[in-house]
Amino acid sequence: MKNCEGSYMKANCMVTGRTRIAGLLGNPVEHSVSPQLHNTISMCMGHDIIYVPFKVEKDDLEYAVKGLRAINVIGFNVTIPYKSDIIKYLDEVSDEALLIGAVNTVKNENGRLIGYNTDAEGFRRSFAEETGYGFANKKVAVIGAGGAARAIAMKVALDGAGHIDIVNRTVSKALELSEFISEKTGVSLRAFSMSEAEEKNILCQNEIIINTTSLGMYPDMDRCPVNDFSCFGKDHIFYDLIYNPLKTKLLKEAEKQGCKVINGLGMLIYQGIYAYEIWTGSKLPESIKDELFRQLSANCS
Ligand code: NAP
C-alpha cells in the first residue's frame, strides 16, 4: 500500500493514458464527499483509477448511462434523485438492491452494467463495528420513510429484527414502507406520524432508534426529529445517518440521557469501501478505513 497522506487533488495530478474512470451520477453532486473518499482509496491502494462527479439532468439519465458504458468506466455510484430510476437502464440488479428498490453502485463487467446497493451493507457493518450488535430479535425504530429509510429498514428486517416501527412526517409513506417490508420479510412493523409517535412514546419502546431524515443536517443544525428525550436511557442506541455535523442535536440530546450514539460517517465510509471492492475485486485493508475516518471527520466536525 502506498503512502496515502494525500487528497483527491494529488490523485488528479497522476492521470495517465491507462487511468480508469469511476464516477458519480446525481443532481446535485457538488457537495458529495464521494470523490474525496474514492480518490483517497485509489491513492492508498496505488490504483490508477480516478473518480469524477457527473451532474446529470433527469431527461439525460439514459444517455449518461449509455455514455459511461461506451467509455468503459469501471463503474459508478448513483445518488439522489436517481437511485430508483437507474434500475431500468441496467442489465442486472442484485437481489438485495431489487428488494430495496434502489441502486447506489453499478459495476461495468465487460459492457454489462450490474447494480448493487452498498448503503444497506455499509450501514449494517458500521452499526456492528460501533456497537458490537446485530439486529436479530431487536426492536428498532426508523425515523423517516425516504430512500435511505427503505434501504435500512429492509436490511434490519432481513437481518432478523424482532419488530420495526417506522415514524415519518408523511404517515402514508411510513405505512406504504411498513406494509412493503412486512410482505417481503414477514417481520412485524407499525407505522406512525411523528406527532402520534411522540404522543404515544413509540420511540422509547424500541432499543435502537435510527434517524434517516435530514433534520439536523448542516446548516440547519438546530433541528431535531425528537422533542422529548425524557423516556430514553442507557439501554437505547441512537444512530443518525447524518455525518455533517458529526454530532447532531439528536445525538447530543440522546447522549445527555446516557444513550449510546453513533453518527453516519461509518456508513458513508463502508458503503464506499464496498463499492470500491465491487468495482476492483480488491479486498481493502483495515488501515484504509482508518485513513478515511481521519480525513473525512476533519471535513465534518
Ligand atoms: P429522501 O428520500 O429525500 O427522504 C427524506 C426523509 O426525510 C423523508 O422521510 C422525509 O419525510 C424526511 N424529512 C425531510 N425533511 C423533513 C422535515 N422538515 N421534517 C420532517 N421530516 C423531514 O432522502 P434520503 O435519501 O432518504 O436521505 C435522508 C438522509 O440520510 C439525508 O440526510 C442523507 O444525507 C442521509 N444519508 C446518509 C448516508 C450515509 O452514508 N451516512 C447515506 C444515505 C443517506 P417526508 O416523507 O414526510 O417528506
Side-chain angles (χ1 to χ4, degrees), residues 80 83 119 144-149 168-170 173 194 212-215 217 223 241-243 264 267-268 271:
I80 288 172
K83 288 185 183 183
D119 281 335
N168 194 43
R169 174 177 61 180
T170 311
K173 287 194 200 164
M194 282 178 152
T212 73
T213 75
S214 47
L215 286 173
M217 190 164 74
R223 305 196 73 181
L241 260 62
I242 294 171
Y243 49 84
M267 174 178 170
L268 175 78
Q271 64 75 29

Side-chain angles (χ1 to χ4, degrees), residues 80-94:
I80 288 172
Y82 302 131
K83 288 185 183 183
S84 300
D85 292 348
I86 193 81
I87 290 177
K88 57 180 172 288
Y89 303 121
L90 304 178
D91 299 303
E92 198 179 321
V93 176
S94 76

Side-chain angles (χ1 to χ4, degrees), residues 1 15 26 40 57 67 108 118 129 153 196 211 258 278 283:
M1 193 170 85
V15 171
T40 298
E57 299 300 331
N108 179 8
T118 69
E129 291 263 320
E196 191 186 2
N211 175 41
I278 287 170
K283 180 93 185 108

Side-chain angles (χ1 to χ4, degrees), residues 247-261:
K247 208 170 268 178
T248 54
K249 184 172 177 189
L250 176 76
L251 296 190
K252 283 181 187 161
E253 294 297 326
E255 197 169 48
K256 281 186 203 159
Q257 297 298 117
C259 309
K260 177 157 183 62
V261 303

